[in-house]
Amino acid sequence: MGRAPCCDKQGLKRGPWTPEEDEILVDYIRKNGHGSWRSLPKLAGLLRCGKSCRLRWTNYLRPDIKRGPFTLEEEKTIIQLHGIMGNRWASIAAQLPGRTDNEIKNFWNTHLKKRFRSLGINPHTHTSPSSPASSPMQKSSTSPSTRHMTQWESARLEAEARLSRESYRFGSSQSDLPTSGKPDSDYFLRMWNSEVGESFRRFQVRETSLITCQSPYSQASSSTKLGLTSGMINTEVKKESDQHEEIDFRSCRSDAEDVMAGSDSSSSNELDDSSDLSLQLLLDFPSNCDEEMNFFQGHLGNFSLFPNVLTENSLNSSL
DNA sequence: AATTAACACAACCGCAACTCA
DNA sequence: GTGAGTTGCGGTTGTGTTAAT
């Protein structure tokens, strides 16, 4: 089949959109809907390709787009979902109303990725480069953060394998999945929007209310046990603690955090600082990981992330 | 004041998936 | 079932802005 010619091959305009072009596009879509993106530019009188129009509309002109900086809550959600789903920006964006995949991708690449690296964590795998431990020393020093991310990564791989396996088994007509039949029938997203996600949010509120009257660090750890609370905890900690408490809190931080503190001092404005702390809290995880992961199994209802049928062997065979 | 570097984000490209005749 | 056409997605690049020298 012949690939649709690029804009430049048709002598169409490229580069930044002018306010006039924006107005034409918005007016046209308001009156007629976008219909076929390919025919839209001609019908609207724009010298752009349909692809460019679609991108401009979905990433910038759409009326429901939320502008402004990401909130700590959104940031936390992005980190958590990225840990689960990887670079599935569209799926992540679907969980953040008003945010576009492009915006989230840019935010990840310019802010969060950098912060991961400064913490010595691989932003792709959410794991420390030193894991898996190859020596007793390394093994004993495996950080809670690493264990946390390893757990999440395992969970992600298992669910992906399961999704593939079940997609194969049921084809595209399974009643179990959303009727759209689109790849959005992602188990993780279903989980995120299910009782489990709800439980996450409930625990988050409760734990955050506790943290304001107890030791910040110990509370943060118990809170992040559920993989949550970074932004809210941080906000509360910031509010409640004076300079002295802040230092005490930081003295408990890991070596990786020290690297972060040292290497990123140039950008240590209030927001960045608090966000770094948020990230660390989010990544932190207590040593009894099995318990945390059991949390899932107890809250999944008729959806199980770790079905009994999915043993390590079946996982391997399904991949 | 001029230049350079770093940053943020809009826009483009190419591929894969999807739809439909 | 097949292939042309269309759409959506993720990676990458380009451009404007701000900060540093």
Side-chain angles (χ1 to χ4, degrees):
Chain A
M1 86 181 176
R3 168 177 279 277
C6 286
C7 328
D8 55 350
K9 288 175 187 167
Q10 292 184 326
L12 297 176
K13 194 178 170 193
R14 300 176 61 194
W17 281 63
T18 64
E20 291 75 27
E21 287 177 309
D22 283 347
E23 200 181 330
I24 292 170
L25 182 59
V26 170
D27 280 350
Y28 181 86
I29 292 177
R30 272 193 193 138
K31 287 175 190 161
N32 309 289
H34 62 71
S36 161
W37 285 112
R38 195 165 176 77
S39 57
L40 184 148
K42 193 182 274 184
L43 295 171
L46 286 164
L47 284 173
R48 296 275 181 172
C49 68
K51 209 172 185 178
S52 180
C53 292
R54 181 178 62 78
L55 217 57
R56 184 63 180 172
W57 173 257
T58 55
N59 286 340
Y60 198 81
L61 299 174
R62 233 174 49 197
D64 58 328
I65 285 182
K66 189 173 166 184
R67 294 269 152 220
F70 282 84
T71 64
L72 288 170
E73 199 65 20
E74 289 174 316
E75 188 176 315
K76 182 188 65 189
T77 302
I78 292 168
I79 293 168
Q80 289 175 333
L81 289 176
H82 187 273
I84 295 166
M85 298 187 287
N87 294 359
R88 294 182 191 168
W89 307 118
S91 300
I92 294 171
Q95 307 307 306
L96 293 166
R99 299 295 187 183
T100 69
D101 54 353
N102 208 34
E103 200 178 6
I104 292 168
K105 181 171 59 182
N106 283 334
F107 183 62
W108 176 266
N109 287 331
T110 58
H111 296 267
L112 300 178
K113 207 171 177 179
K114 204 184 302 173
R115 242 179 275 155
F116 264 70
R117 289 196 173 127
S118 71
L119 285 164
I121 296 166
N122 183 331
H124 299 293
T125 61
H126 291 228
T127 58
S128 153
S130 61
S131 64
S134 57
S135 70
M137 179 70 88
Q138 281 178 311
K139 190 168 187 175
S140 65
S141 64
T142 301
S143 71
S145 311
T146 304
R147 284 194 299 273
H148 177 194
M149 287 309 168
T150 302
Q151 289 277 353
W152 273 108
E153 185 64 10
S154 311
R156 184 171 77 81
L157 290 171
E158 287 191 19
E160 283 185 357
R162 184 162 177 251
L163 178 60
S164 304
R165 196 164 51 87
E166 295 202 0
S167 296
Y168 176 76
R169 184 191 297 165
F170 296 117
S172 58
S173 61
Q174 63 274 45
S175 59
D176 189 29
L177 296 175
T179 52
S180 71
K182 292 185 173 182
D184 279 348
S185 56
D186 187 305
Y187 280 113
F188 272 113
L189 289 182
R190 290 176 60 206
M191 183 177 77
W192 188 259
N193 290 317
S194 71
E195 281 178 46
V196 181
E198 191 55 41
S199 299
F200 268 177
R201 288 181 274 277
R202 277 205 301 276
F203 273 106
Q204 183 169 21
V205 171
R206 199 188 67 191
E207 296 279 321
T208 304
S209 66
L210 287 173
I211 194 169
T212 57
C213 54
Q214 293 187 31
S215 159
Y217 189 73
S218 61
Q219 265 307 320
S221 295
S222 75
S223 303
T224 49
K225 173 190 285 192
L226 299 169
L228 331 147
T229 69
S230 58
M232 298 173 77
I233 290 168
N234 171 65
T235 305
E236 294 300 332
V237 168
K238 277 282 189 189
K239 252 188 246 171
E240 298 292 321
S241 62
D242 60 20
Q243 187 73 15
H244 179 68
E245 285 169 341
E246 177 92 359
I247 291 165
D248 284 348
F249 181 22
R250 288 179 177 230
S251 70
C252 300
R253 294 157 68 198
S254 68
D255 292 342
E257 292 171 84
D258 293 333
V259 169
M260 173 199 81
S263 66
D264 206 22
S265 58
S266 63
S267 62
S268 61
N269 59 41
E270 181 97 358
L271 179 62
D272 280 355
D273 198 36
S274 66
S275 297
D276 285 344
L277 187 50
S278 300
L279 175 60
Q280 184 55 40
L281 287 169
L282 178 65
L283 294 175
D284 195 9
F285 218 52
S287 56
N288 52 339
C289 289
D290 290 346
E291 275 180 39
E292 285 87 53
M293 297 313 283
N294 285 339
F295 170 80
F296 285 110
Q297 292 173 313
H299 288 73
L300 292 177
N302 47 7
F303 167 66
S304 169
L305 180 62
F306 303 107
N308 293 332
V309 294
L310 188 66
T311 61
E312 192 172 341
N313 287 339
S314 66
L315 174 65
N316 290 337
S317 64
S318 68
L319 286 174

